[in-house]
PDB file of all heavy atoms in Angstrom:
ATOM      1  N   ALA A 152      66.144 107.159 -76.041  1.00 98.00           N
ATOM      2  CA  ALA A 152      65.384 108.382 -75.532  1.00 98.00           C
ATOM      3  C   ALA A 152      65.223 108.098 -74.056  1.00 98.00           C
ATOM      4  O   ALA A 152      65.193 107.092 -73.524  1.00 98.00           O
ATOM      5  CB  ALA A 152      64.118 108.450 -76.177  1.00 98.00           C
ATOM      6  N   SER A 153      65.290 109.311 -73.291  1.00 98.00           N
ATOM      7  CA  SER A 153      65.175 109.341 -71.831  1.00 98.00           C
ATOM      8  C   SER A 153      64.482 110.610 -71.283  1.00 98.00           C
ATOM      9  O   SER A 153      64.600 111.605 -71.809  1.00 98.00           O
ATOM     10  CB  SER A 153      66.650 109.223 -71.228  1.00 98.00           C
ATOM     11  OG  SER A 153      66.586 109.368 -69.926  1.00 98.00           O
ATOM     12  N   SER A 154      63.890 110.229 -70.188  1.00 97.00           N
ATOM     13  CA  SER A 154      63.217 111.338 -69.508  1.00 97.00           C
ATOM     14  C   SER A 154      64.018 112.022 -68.417  1.00 97.00           C
ATOM     15  O   SER A 154      63.788 112.913 -67.762  1.00 97.00           O
ATOM     16  CB  SER A 154      61.839 110.920 -68.854  1.00 97.00           C
ATOM     17  OG  SER A 154      62.144 109.730 -67.884  1.00 97.00           O
ATOM     18  N   VAL A 155      65.296 111.479 -68.218  1.00 97.00           N
ATOM     19  CA  VAL A 155      66.116 111.865 -67.258  1.00 97.00           C
ATOM     20  C   VAL A 155      67.400 112.526 -67.757  1.00 97.00           C
ATOM     21  O   VAL A 155      67.630 113.794 -67.389  1.00 97.00           O
ATOM     22  CB  VAL A 155      66.579 110.619 -66.403  1.00 97.00           C
ATOM     23  CG1 VAL A 155      67.671 111.070 -65.367  1.00 97.00           C
ATOM     24  CG2 VAL A 155      65.528 109.850 -65.792  1.00 97.00           C
ATOM     25  N   ASN A 156      68.038 112.142 -68.802  1.00 97.00           N
ATOM     26  CA  ASN A 156      69.200 112.690 -69.272  1.00 97.00           C
ATOM     27  C   ASN A 156      69.549 112.169 -70.652  1.00 97.00           C
ATOM     28  O   ASN A 156      68.872 111.178 -71.185  1.00 97.00           O
ATOM     29  CB  ASN A 156      70.485 112.417 -68.364  1.00 97.00           C
ATOM     30  CG  ASN A 156      70.742 111.011 -68.137  1.00 97.00           C
ATOM     31  OD1 ASN A 156      70.444 110.490 -67.126  1.00 97.00           O
ATOM     32  ND2 ASN A 156      71.391 110.308 -69.078  1.00 97.00           N
ATOM     33  N   CYS A 157      70.387 112.782 -71.365  1.00 98.00           N
ATOM     34  CA  CYS A 157      70.866 112.246 -72.840  1.00 98.00           C
ATOM     35  C   CYS A 157      71.605 111.127 -72.647  1.00 98.00           C
ATOM     36  O   CYS A 157      72.583 110.990 -71.834  1.00 98.00           O
ATOM     37  CB  CYS A 157      71.490 113.484 -73.533  1.00 98.00           C
ATOM     38  SG  CYS A 157      70.520 114.844 -73.946  1.00 98.00           S
ATOM     39  N   ILE A 158      71.471 110.153 -73.565  1.00 97.00           N
ATOM     40  CA  ILE A 158      72.072 108.890 -73.558  1.00 97.00           C
ATOM     41  C   ILE A 158      73.276 108.988 -74.698  1.00 97.00           C
ATOM     42  O   ILE A 158      72.997 108.962 -75.830  1.00 97.00           O
ATOM     43  CB  ILE A 158      71.324 107.717 -73.870  1.00 97.00           C
ATOM     44  CG1 ILE A 158      70.050 107.649 -72.956  1.00 97.00           C
ATOM     45  CG2 ILE A 158      72.071 106.428 -73.849  1.00 97.00           C
ATOM     46  CD1 ILE A 158      70.346 107.468 -71.541  1.00 97.00           C
ATOM     47  N   THR A 163      76.296 107.202 -69.043  1.00 98.00           N
ATOM     48  CA  THR A 163      74.962 107.998 -69.048  1.00 98.00           C
ATOM     49  C   THR A 163      73.694 107.061 -68.706  1.00 98.00           C
ATOM     50  O   THR A 163      72.723 107.624 -68.543  1.00 98.00           O
ATOM     51  CB  THR A 163      74.773 108.669 -70.381  1.00 98.00           C
ATOM     52  OG1 THR A 163      74.666 107.853 -71.499  1.00 98.00           O
ATOM     53  CG2 THR A 163      75.884 109.676 -70.626  1.00 98.00           C
ATOM     54  N   LEU A 167      69.705 103.958 -64.432  1.00 98.00           N
ATOM     55  CA  LEU A 167      68.554 104.167 -65.130  1.00 98.00           C
ATOM     56  C   LEU A 167      67.757 102.772 -65.308  1.00 98.00           C
ATOM     57  O   LEU A 167      68.375 101.827 -65.555  1.00 98.00           O
ATOM     58  CB  LEU A 167      68.674 104.880 -66.460  1.00 98.00           C
ATOM     59  CG  LEU A 167      69.318 106.237 -66.549  1.00 98.00           C
ATOM     60  CD1 LEU A 167      69.365 106.728 -68.049  1.00 98.00           C
ATOM     61  CD2 LEU A 167      68.641 107.132 -65.617  1.00 98.00           C
ATOM     62  N   LEU A 204      59.712 103.324 -66.436  1.00 98.00           N
ATOM     63  CA  LEU A 204      60.925 103.495 -67.228  1.00 98.00           C
ATOM     64  C   LEU A 204      61.491 104.932 -67.021  1.00 98.00           C
ATOM     65  O   LEU A 204      60.847 105.843 -66.875  1.00 98.00           O
ATOM     66  CB  LEU A 204      60.687 103.246 -68.669  1.00 98.00           C
ATOM     67  CG  LEU A 204      60.338 101.889 -69.245  1.00 98.00           C
ATOM     68  CD1 LEU A 204      60.146 101.940 -70.710  1.00 98.00           C
ATOM     69  CD2 LEU A 204      61.508 100.852 -68.889  1.00 98.00           C
ATOM     70  N   ASP A 205      62.872 104.936 -67.168  1.00 98.00           N
ATOM     71  CA  ASP A 205      63.545 106.164 -67.267  1.00 98.00           C
ATOM     72  C   ASP A 205      64.009 106.406 -68.718  1.00 98.00           C
ATOM     73  O   ASP A 205      64.234 107.512 -69.179  1.00 98.00           O
ATOM     74  CB  ASP A 205      64.852 106.321 -66.399  1.00 98.00           C
ATOM     75  CG  ASP A 205      64.533 106.011 -64.978  1.00 98.00           C
ATOM     76  OD1 ASP A 205      63.597 106.656 -64.467  1.00 98.00           O
ATOM     77  OD2 ASP A 205      65.179 105.273 -64.221  1.00 98.00           O
ATOM     78  N   ALA A 206      64.208 105.292 -69.497  1.00 98.00           N
ATOM     79  CA  ALA A 206      64.743 105.419 -70.906  1.00 98.00           C
ATOM     80  C   ALA A 206      64.435 104.199 -71.610  1.00 98.00           C
ATOM     81  O   ALA A 206      63.948 103.187 -71.054  1.00 98.00           O
ATOM     82  CB  ALA A 206      66.298 105.505 -70.725  1.00 98.00           C
ATOM     83  N   GLN A 222      57.008 112.028 -73.823  1.00 98.00           N
ATOM     84  CA  GLN A 222      57.269 111.575 -72.506  1.00 98.00           C
ATOM     85  C   GLN A 222      58.725 111.638 -72.215  1.00 98.00           C
ATOM     86  O   GLN A 222      59.248 111.268 -71.085  1.00 98.00           O
ATOM     87  CB  GLN A 222      56.849 110.055 -72.326  1.00 98.00           C
ATOM     88  CG  GLN A 222      55.370 109.865 -72.441  1.00 98.00           C
ATOM     89  CD  GLN A 222      54.564 110.538 -71.342  1.00 98.00           C
ATOM     90  OE1 GLN A 222      55.115 110.880 -70.221  1.00 98.00           O
ATOM     91  NE2 GLN A 222      53.292 111.003 -71.699  1.00 98.00           N
ATOM     92  N   VAL A 223      59.531 112.295 -73.232  1.00 98.00           N
ATOM     93  CA  VAL A 223      61.001 112.222 -72.901  1.00 98.00           C
ATOM     94  C   VAL A 223      61.604 113.632 -73.126  1.00 98.00           C
ATOM     95  O   VAL A 223      60.930 114.476 -73.585  1.00 98.00           O
ATOM     96  CB  VAL A 223      61.683 111.230 -73.884  1.00 98.00           C
ATOM     97  CG1 VAL A 223      61.340 109.891 -73.608  1.00 98.00           C
ATOM     98  CG2 VAL A 223      61.555 111.745 -75.385  1.00 98.00           C
ATOM     99  N   GLU A 224      62.809 113.782 -72.464  1.00 98.00           N
ATOM    100  CA  GLU A 224      63.543 115.152 -72.524  1.00 98.00           C
ATOM    101  C   GLU A 224      64.502 115.076 -73.667  1.00 98.00           C
ATOM    102  O   GLU A 224      64.998 116.118 -74.182  1.00 98.00           O
ATOM    103  CB  GLU A 224      64.171 115.427 -71.207  1.00 98.00           C
ATOM    104  CG  GLU A 224      63.101 115.525 -70.117  1.00 98.00           C
ATOM    105  CD  GLU A 224      62.095 116.774 -70.319  1.00 98.00           C
ATOM    106  OE1 GLU A 224      62.643 117.724 -70.911  1.00 98.00           O
ATOM    107  OE2 GLU A 224      60.984 116.713 -69.940  1.00 98.00           O
ATOM    108  N   CYS A 225      65.160 113.881 -74.057  1.00 98.00           N
ATOM    109  CA  CYS A 225      66.240 113.898 -74.901  1.00 98.00           C
ATOM    110  C   CYS A 225      66.282 112.567 -75.702  1.00 98.00           C
ATOM    111  O   CYS A 225      65.833 111.517 -75.251  1.00 98.00           O
ATOM    112  CB  CYS A 225      67.667 113.916 -74.083  1.00 98.00           C
ATOM    113  SG  CYS A 225      69.013 113.999 -75.153  1.00 98.00           S
TER     114      CYS A 225
END
Side-chain angles (χ1 to χ4, degrees):
S153 174
S154 58
V155 178
N156 56 259
C157 292
I158 308 300
T163 59
L167 300 184
L204 289 180
D205 299 313
Q222 299 298 331
V223 298
E224 298 297 326
C225 188

